[in-house]
Amino acid sequence: MFGVCALVLFLVMAASLAIGSRVLSPAQVWQALTGTGTPIDTEVVVRMRLPRTIAGLVVGCALGLAGAVMQALTRNPLADPGILGVNAGAALGVVSACAATGVSTQARNAIAALAGALAASCAVHLLAGRGGPGSRARLALAGIALTAALSSLTQAVVLADQFAFNEFRHWVSGSLEGVRLSSLAWACAPLAIGAVIAALLGPALGVLALGDEAAAGLGVRVRVVRTCGLVAVGALAGAATAICGPLGFVGLAVPLIARRLVGSGQSALSALSAVLGGAWVLIADVVARVLVPEEVPVGVVLALIGAPFFVALARGRGASA
């Protein structure tokens, strides 16, 4: 199964490099990557599409993995990293930085978004309180409450500052257009930290599915696992959101697909969610380039694809319950 999914991901990456307003053959793409192609092909592939493809891959893998961890933490297969207020925190960080400085750059917006996302994850943990019976319900309620509060603050800043409104309007749609490799370098550290934590927590999260009391009886330090899981989700989803803005349904629907393919084993589920998440975002980005003559943001396409797909999966799950 992993081999098939990896092959699909490779083919999608190849399509991302070849398809756009200028369609290239596999031979032209290879020549451009090896430096033997025409200057125009090299410009299109290396300087425009390659950074975008890498960004889509990184963002998709991060969101897919974050979704798998979030669903394990809450023991809810319909949970999403956004339930922690990650998107809301990132949005508030962006508009606050724009309003405070009056200057907007991709790097500054990304750093502000990451800081806001991580702060929101920490705030959710503090609001949820200590682990124990009902802690997953408190975690969800704390995330919902914090999301509402942060969204209200964001709207207040946007309405009060025209410059922040203009920047937020562009960022909130979610887009990979214009992403450069240099702007991805800063995200390596939080993404690596989140991925390592998620990998190390795999066995513990699997035991946590039995319930907090049962997990504690089996030697799992529930509060530590939950705290580290929140840090991993905040780092992964925060960095991904900071790179290209909020992308919906990736962390929600991708783990559902992975669970149907490999079952509920947390380590395998997390790994496959990362692979499928990268493919999911890249497919949506390719569709965004060719859907209409004027390119639409990938976040819009993800919503158009993800919403009905998720509803179908949810209905199927309900029917089989």
Side-chain angles (χ1 to χ4, degrees):
M1 181 58 64
F2 280 96
V4 173
C5 293
L7 176 60
V8 171
L9 179 59
F10 174 79
L11 294 176
V12 172
M13 291 176 63
S16 178
L17 294 174
I19 298 175
S21 58
R22 177 184 174 88
V23 180
L24 303 176
S25 67
Q28 289 175 304
V29 172
W30 176 252
Q31 291 170 356
L33 292 174
T34 57
T36 59
T38 65
I40 295 179
D41 290 348
T42 302
E43 175 73 18
V44 170
V45 173
V46 176
R47 296 189 180 181
M48 298 176 63
R49 294 182 185 171
L50 182 60
R52 185 168 181 164
T53 299
I54 294 176
L57 175 64
V58 168
V59 167
C61 289
L63 291 176
L65 180 56
V69 174
M70 186 70 248
Q71 292 179 9
L73 284 176
T74 60
R75 301 203 301 274
N76 182 355
L78 302 183
D80 178 79
I83 199 174
L84 291 183
V86 171
N87 288 352
L92 181 59
V94 169
V95 299
S96 298
C98 292
T101 63
V103 178
S104 176
T105 64
Q106 189 176 49
R108 178 173 295 184
N109 288 350
I111 293 173
L114 178 60
L118 290 175
S121 294
C122 294
V124 164
H125 175 67
L126 294 175
L127 289 173
R130 298 179 63 88
S135 59
R136 62 172 178 153
R138 290 200 302 271
L139 180 66
L141 290 174
I144 294 171
L146 186 66
T147 297
L150 295 179
S151 298
S152 298
L153 290 174
T154 299
Q155 292 300 321
V157 175
V158 165
L159 293 175
D161 190 282
Q162 183 64 39
F163 180 74
F165 171 77
N166 292 333
E167 291 302 314
F168 177 74
R169 182 178 57 181
H170 171 75
W171 179 83
V172 77
S173 60
S175 176
L176 295 172
E177 186 179 5
V179 175
R180 294 290 179 262
L181 291 178
S182 58
S183 65
L184 295 175
W186 64 268
C188 291
L191 288 171
I193 291 172
V196 169
I197 294 176
L200 294 176
L201 289 180
L205 289 174
V207 177
L208 196 64
L210 301 174
D212 290 358
E213 291 184 350
L218 293 172
V220 174
R221 302 176 63 182
V222 175
R223 187 183 182 191
V224 173
V225 170
R226 203 175 296 281
T227 301
C228 292
L230 291 176
V231 171
V233 172
L236 290 167
T241 302
I243 290 172
C244 60
L247 300 181
F249 292 101
V250 181
L252 187 71
V254 166
L256 280 175
I257 302 173
R259 187 173 289 105
R260 292 199 168 195
L261 295 176
V262 298
S264 57
Q266 187 59 37
S267 296
L269 175 63
S270 295
L272 188 59
S273 294
V275 173
L276 292 179
W280 182 281
V281 172
L282 288 178
I283 290 173
D285 187 46
V286 171
V287 173
R289 302 180 203 176
V290 299
L291 187 62
V292 294
E294 185 68 26
E295 182 178 321
V296 298
V298 66
V300 175
V301 176
L302 281 170
L304 292 174
I305 296 175
F309 190 78
F310 167 70
V311 169
L313 282 174
R315 287 174 62 87
R317 181 179 179 84
S320 61

